[in-house]
Amino acid sequence: MTDTKEAALFVTCLIDLMRPEVGMASARLIERAGFTVVVPRQGCCGQPNYNAGDRKGAQVLARAAIAALEPYETIVVPSGSCGGMMVRHYPTLFDAADPWASRAKAVASRVLELTQFLARHPPSAGAPGLAGKIAYHDSCSSLRDLGVHDEPRALLRSMTKAEDVPFAENETCCGFGGLFCVKYPDVADRIAADKCAAIIASGADSVVSADLGCLLNIGGRLARMGSPIKAVHIAEALAGDA
Amino acid sequence: MTTLDFKGRAAKALHDPQLTGALARAKGHFALGRAAAKARTPDFEMLRDRATAIRRRSIALMPDLLERFEARATAAGATVHWAADAADARAIATGICKAHGATRAIKSKSMATEEIELNAHLLSHGITPVETDLGEYIIQLRGETPSHIIAPAVHLTKDQVAETFRAAHTDLDPARDISERQALVKEARVKLREAFLAADVGITGANILVAETGTIVLVSNEGNIDLTASAPRLHIAIAGIEKVVESWDDAGIVLRVLARSATGQDMSSYVTVLTGPAQGDEVGPRTSHIILLDNGRSTLAAGNKAEMLACIRCGACLNHCPVYTAVGGHAYGGPYSGPMGAVLTPAIDGLTKDTANLPNASSFCGRCEAVCPVRIPLPMLLRHWREDAYAAGLPTRGERWGLGIWRALSTRPWAYRLTQWSAARGLRFVSWWQGGRIKRLPFAGRGFTATRDIAPPAAKSFQAQWRGRR
């Protein structure tokens, strides 16, 4: 049975639309870890509705995701944010009496954020990963919802020649926050400006993170500032096609 | 005080360079202080666990503990009053002052008195309050409200303080040098000494109410609370009902996490302990009154945000909040700011379109919960407010429709596919039009692209590419 290890890849709607390359890089890494990648038909995990206070809407979206993912033993999400939604919030999203509550918990227990998965199942050697100086940005949900801190750094050390450079206040939010940066753009921009200033001061060539939302935010702002620093998803940094 | 809503107040704050500078300095100072205190306290996480358990139990037993507190405090000679709301508490406080003919009040820093807007009320009843905490004294002279629960004047620079003192202390030599911090402190001390000696009544808050002995515990770093509570013949303490704990063992744990989380000290410089009025030849007030303030707290205790009552007002959630450190406390429009203020203000002022901004203006980064000494799940409580606001129809129609449409599209595979396909087309066109990057989007994308250039999406979504690969 070890030959038929399967992993379902839930790429998140943001990657699906904005950076499909991240999904492809994730799939290659999972395959290099000895798994067959399955991509069930998927939409949104429900986080935008959940964070906006629309719990009922979030339940509708979560039910669709749960139904799509529950056949699989291993579920990989290349995002701490959507992964955090599933792992940390699905278990309490439904009332205890709701039959979906136990299904939600079952799925939640099988979800791994990409770097958590790769730390447990190291990929075989492949193309050399990203090189140069990198500033690693922990997304808030990776760090605090999922407790991921060492995994991406260890993977970068073992799979790439990149040098991880420290930067100030690296545990602070970048100001993305999903709909937060849409509803409160002035506040979000100040937070992003501080984050970009810290990254620029670090002397890094690229900023790497496990969440595309943070990367669009930080990378987009760096680009507007005329900075050459690239924003790279950890999947691309590790798979060696960034 | 102001007609701006949260967004307007935040925008104003973001464009105030003095405020921005003051906030940037304070942010580093407090966060580093807490981190250092945590690093030299090997059992800090265990202390937090114990403090959490203590505060949760105190809230669960609150009615019983308060009755015990009342009985013990009364036995020690204090008079305990129960105030259902702010108006009640104000009326009780002025009533006590009038009964004793008190017209000159000194006050220590108290968020409860800010919450009930006591100073304006005292003034309208002929009682002149003088704030004796340095930060509070400064903002009182400026006619401002505190912008931080433990550092009320954190929004000001020392130059602004010097300017304020020159304007207020007109009896002093105009040529004096008050450019340095020490000179400012000295000048305030001289001025405050006069107020301490002249006062008829001292008004304080309370950090902890110890039920087993009916004792009030207060912490400070300036020693002003000791004087405020003991120099005048009359003492009034105003405390939120949630401040109660059962025992001295409990109080000890709370004190240990409080100072470390607040200022990074192992213990505050002063801990003032008051059990009833002074007896015999003891130093202290001859009459002691304690006003227990509800003002929405019982309602909070009964709902899904009861954990908020565990708050010990250390300010760590403010100091580590990216939103608070960007906009400062005044943007929150109430005495409490930062994550704890965003939970408390809608409970005190009611949930309105404006107060609903407070729980919504968070990226849910979770750092507040990570540093809270009593592990209050602040993001979850903010989320509960968002759910209440959503149920009350407070979000804009655009937001509600957008979420409804997203839900409908995302759960129908063909519709989701069509959405992603047309979004990619649209964004690629915009990017081509704008020279290779998405630089301006209308509607919901406007704010995000105001300061960002986004690389365009690929022509085919991941799912489309994956289907093609097989």
Side-chain angles (χ1 to χ4, degrees):
Chain A
M1 288 300 283
T2 47
D3 296 334
T4 59
K5 282 191 295 186
E6 258 186 355
L9 176 60
F10 186 89
V11 292
T12 82
C13 14
L14 207 54
I15 290 175
D16 195 17
L17 169 66
M18 294 300 292
R19 296 289 178 268
E21 327 57 298
V22 173
M24 298 308 269
S26 304
R28 279 200 299 282
L29 289 166
I30 299 168
E31 285 170 351
R32 274 165 58 186
F35 282 71
T36 305
V37 175
V38 190
V39 179
R41 197 182 268 174
Q42 53 195 263
C44 168
C45 67
Q47 191 177 197
N49 295 65
Y50 188 52
N51 284 357
D54 175 19
R55 182 178 281 254
K56 283 225 166 64
Q59 288 172 344
V60 172
L61 289 162
R63 280 200 291 268
I66 291 163
L69 295 172
E70 61 191 349
Y72 304 98
E73 267 311 303
T74 305
I75 301 155
V76 182
V77 184
S79 157
S81 167
C82 308
M85 174 72 195
M86 293 175 167
V87 173
R88 181 136 186 229
H89 298 297
Y90 274 13
T92 54
L93 184 60
F94 300 92
D95 293 336
D98 190 328
W100 282 91
S102 56
R103 294 169 71 177
K105 279 180 198 150
V107 164
S109 70
R110 286 184 252 137
V111 169
L112 290 172
E113 184 272 329
L114 177 67
T115 64
Q116 289 180 314
F117 171 84
L118 294 175
R120 289 187 200 181
H121 308 284
S124 59
L130 185 69
K133 290 183 180 176
I134 60 149
Y136 190 80
H137 168 70
D138 293 290
S139 78
C140 297
S141 32
S142 277
L143 185 65
R144 286 180 277 266
D145 273 352
L146 298 176
V148 172
H149 179 271
D150 298 342
E151 295 90 335
R153 291 174 173 84
L155 289 164
L156 284 166
R157 261 198 309 278
S158 63
M159 296 175 65
T160 75
K161 289 203 164 62
E163 180 198 347
D164 188 5
V165 295
F167 62 103
E169 300 204 36
N170 69 335
E171 287 190 9
T172 308
C173 176
C174 70
F176 179 68
L179 289 178
F180 166 71
C181 69
V182 172
K183 291 198 261 186
Y184 302 94
D186 297 350
V187 184
D189 182 56
R190 170 60 53 82
I191 301 170
D194 288 351
K195 177 62 66 186
C196 290
I199 290 169
I200 291 171
S202 75
D205 306 311
S206 38
V207 51
V208 178
S209 180
D211 264 281
L212 186 58
C214 309
L215 289 167
L216 290 178
N217 176 39
I218 298 171
R221 208 178 188 294
L222 285 169
R224 174 67 60 89
M225 292 160 83
S227 162
I229 300 173
K230 286 187 298 177
V232 184
H233 193 278
I234 183 86
E236 294 177 284
L238 296 175
D241 42 22
Chain B
M1 190 182 97
T2 169
T3 51
L4 292 172
D5 69 351
F6 172 80
K7 286 186 187 182
R9 295 187 300 260
K12 201 174 142 209
L14 290 167
H15 293 102
D16 180 341
Q18 275 188 319
L19 173 64
T20 308
L23 287 171
R25 273 192 302 280
K27 171 168 70 166
H29 171 77
F30 282 121
L32 290 173
R34 178 190 176 273
K38 179 183 147 119
R40 65 172 183 266
T41 312
D43 55 351
F44 190 61
E45 293 307 313
M46 215 175 72
L47 264 183
R48 283 177 71 191
D49 289 339
R50 289 185 65 189
T52 305
I54 287 165
R55 290 298 296 142
R56 297 265 161 96
R57 200 185 67 233
S58 307
I59 299 313
L61 303 176
M62 193 163 68
D64 173 51
L65 294 181
L66 286 168
E67 280 179 15
R68 238 190 285 173
F69 174 84
E70 181 187 28
R72 298 294 147 80
T74 307
T79 310
V80 176
H81 308 259
W82 301 81
D85 56 25
D88 245 13
R90 288 191 297 255
I92 295 167
T94 43
I96 297 165
C97 291
K98 283 185 176 169
H100 288 80
T103 58
R104 287 160 300 186
I106 43 173
K107 282 186 66 210
S108 70
K109 197 185 82 56
S110 148
M111 291 312 296
T113 64
E114 295 289 345
E115 178 184 327
I116 64 171
E117 296 174 359
L118 182 64
N119 284 3
H121 188 76
L122 290 174
L123 275 170
S124 71
H125 285 261
I127 303 153
T128 312
V130 176
E131 294 287 350
T132 65
D133 171 88
L134 179 58
E136 283 283 348
Y137 177 67
I138 294 163
I139 60 168
Q140 187 184 26
L141 292 180
R142 295 172 64 91
E144 293 177 347
T145 54
S147 71
H148 188 293
I149 57 169
I150 69 158
V154 73
H155 57 288
L156 299 172
T157 61
K158 71 176 196 281
D159 293 344
Q160 286 174 302
V161 176
E163 215 172 279
T164 305
F165 280 11
R166 282 193 196 287
H169 305 154
T170 48
D171 54 323
L172 297 177
D173 178 9
R176 69 192 185 281
D177 178 13
I178 45 172
S179 56
E180 288 310 312
R181 240 162 257 274
Q182 279 312 313
L184 290 168
V185 172
K186 209 170 155 191
E187 180 163 322
R189 188 167 285 155
V190 171
K191 283 287 159 193
L192 287 172
R193 194 59 52 144
E194 297 164 10
F196 278 124
L197 295 174
D200 311 308
V201 54
I203 302 175
T204 68
N207 290 94
I208 303 172
L209 306 170
V210 185
E212 69 177 353
T213 51
T215 304
I216 304 169
V217 181
L218 289 146
V219 301
S220 77
N221 281 321
E222 299 170 13
N224 64 311
I225 292 188
D226 265 2
L227 271 177
T228 303
S230 59
R233 296 180 60 79
L234 172 63
H235 175 223
I236 304 173
I238 302 176
I241 52 173
E242 83 284 7
K243 292 289 170 78
V244 75
V245 300
E246 185 164 14
S247 66
W248 278 100
D249 286 347
D250 291 353
I253 298 289
V254 171
L255 285 174
R256 291 178 70 191
V257 294
L258 175 58
R260 287 177 169 91
S261 304
T263 51
Q265 296 164 288
D266 293 329
M267 190 59 67
S268 57
S269 305
Y270 294 83
V271 177
T272 306
V273 171
L274 300 161
T275 310
Q279 306 290 339
D281 52 4
E282 284 175 357
V283 175
R286 296 290 125 183
T287 313
S288 158
H289 289 267
I290 303 162
I291 302 173
L292 298 175
L293 175 69
D294 188 318
N295 207 27
R297 288 163 172 80
S298 301
T299 316
L300 210 48
N304 61 0
K305 302 169 201 82
E307 282 160 304
M308 192 59 228
L309 293 170
C311 177
I312 58 172
R313 306 291 194 267
C314 70
C317 63
L318 284 68
N319 302 332
H320 293 80
C321 174
V323 176
Y324 175 88
T325 52
V327 302
H330 289 154
Y332 290 78
Y336 303 110
S337 54
M340 56 83 75
V343 178
L344 281 177
T345 303
I348 295 167
D349 291 354
L351 187 63
T352 64
K353 255 198 157 51
D354 188 25
T355 59
N357 271 309
L358 306 180
N360 273 287
S362 157
S363 63
F364 277 155
C365 83
R367 213 161 169 215
C368 46
E369 182 176 7
V371 297
C372 175
V374 290
R375 303 193 196 280
I376 298 172
L378 287 153
M380 187 51 80
L381 303 186
L382 295 174
R383 189 188 301 284
H384 288 329
W385 274 128
R386 293 187 189 186
E387 287 170 352
D388 293 353
Y390 192 87
L394 291 176
T396 62
R397 192 176 299 176
E399 183 180 344
R400 279 177 292 143
W401 284 20
L403 291 167
I405 291 167
W406 176 241
R407 179 178 86 184
L409 293 176
S410 181
T411 43
R412 289 170 177 77
W414 62 268
Y416 175 79
R417 216 182 291 179
L418 184 65
T419 310
Q420 295 283 60
W421 182 85
S422 40
R425 286 297 134 120
L427 290 171
R428 282 172 69 82
F429 175 76
V430 169
S431 173
W432 169 79
W433 184 258
Q434 295 176 353
R437 285 253 176 185
I438 303 160
K439 295 176 175 174
R440 284 185 312 281
L441 285 175
F443 310 118
R446 199 173 58 160
F448 192 65
T449 49
T451 52
R452 291 168 193 83
D453 293 343
I454 308 298
K460 274 180 149 184
S461 74
F462 170 78
Q463 291 190 69
Q465 289 188 32
W466 187 262
R467 279 191 299 272
R469 177 174 131 153
R470 295 208 296 177

